[in-house]
Amino acid sequence: MANQAGLGRKTGKPQYGIRDRVPLRTAALLPTPGDPFHLRWWLRNYERVWQDEVDELRVLVNGQPDDRAREYVRERVERVGGTYDERPHPMPHGTALNILIGDCDADVVVLMEDDAPVRLPGAIRRCLLMIESGECDVVASPRESMSPELVHAA
């Protein structure tokens, strides 16, 4: 199979024994500053398009100062079966991702962006199946704000 953009190709047998018939646990991780209108849109997309393609959704709201907005987001996340967490102060994106990853026990994680919806049903499932099968270890999509090295690798 030809190398495709976004795939970290592997050679040989998968190195993770967990792929030998045990289904991988999957989680979508979403760090966000917690704009309630924006997250309502994102969660509606998650619920309608790809909710059944991961085992878990974890959302970390950081820096949202309004109690009512945080409570609204919490209710919306929990309504779709997600896990909600919050931090009182804004933090760099990477720091928020590290917290989410550290609090998660999934075998495979999908790092999400609150401004990047999944448009096609099955897209996340296809990516996870490539990882589970050992075809690749990483599936990525380029973003405008990425460094040139990451764009090239993706």
Side-chain angles (χ1 to χ4, degrees):
M1 178 179 218
N3 193 8
Q4 300 172 13
L7 303 180
R9 293 289 174 199
K10 293 183 59 156
T11 57
K13 186 176 187 220
Q15 59 181 323
Y16 304 108
I18 196 163
R19 291 182 178 145
D20 295 337
R21 306 276 184 248
V22 177
L24 297 175
R25 272 195 26 79
T26 60
L29 308 179
L30 177 67
T32 176
D35 178 309
F37 300 105
H38 197 82
L39 280 171
R40 181 172 183 252
W41 166 79
W42 193 93
L43 289 166
R44 186 172 43 226
N45 170 265
Y46 167 74
E47 188 173 34
R48 291 178 179 175
V49 177
W50 60 280
Q51 180 176 13
D52 65 337
E53 297 180 29
V54 293
D55 298 314
E56 177 183 13
L57 170 66
R58 299 183 74 87
V59 177
L60 174 60
V61 171
N62 62 90
Q64 172 51 263
D66 187 277
D67 292 340
R68 293 174 301 170
R70 287 192 315 275
E71 186 56 34
Y72 176 81
V73 171
R74 173 191 299 277
E75 289 171 4
R76 300 297 285 196
V77 169
E78 291 174 351
R79 196 192 76 170
V80 299
T83 300
Y84 174 91
D85 194 6
E86 65 184 50
R87 296 296 190 276
H89 303 291
M91 62 182 67
H93 193 72
T95 302
L97 284 173
N98 282 334
I99 291 169
L100 283 164
I101 291 168
D103 289 348
C104 179
D105 64 353
D107 302 304
V108 178
V109 296
V110 181
L111 306 179
M112 302 305 300
E113 300 280 344
D114 64 4
D115 64 345
V118 175
R119 302 211 184 270
L120 300 174
I124 297 294
R125 181 177 291 119
R126 282 189 298 279
C127 293
L128 293 172
L129 286 173
M130 287 188 291
I131 292 170
E132 188 172 9
S133 73
E135 183 179 346
C136 60
D137 285 326
V138 175
V139 180
S141 64
R143 296 206 21 112
E144 293 295 322
S145 62
M146 291 171 63
S147 69
E149 294 84 11
L150 289 176
V151 169
H152 178 71

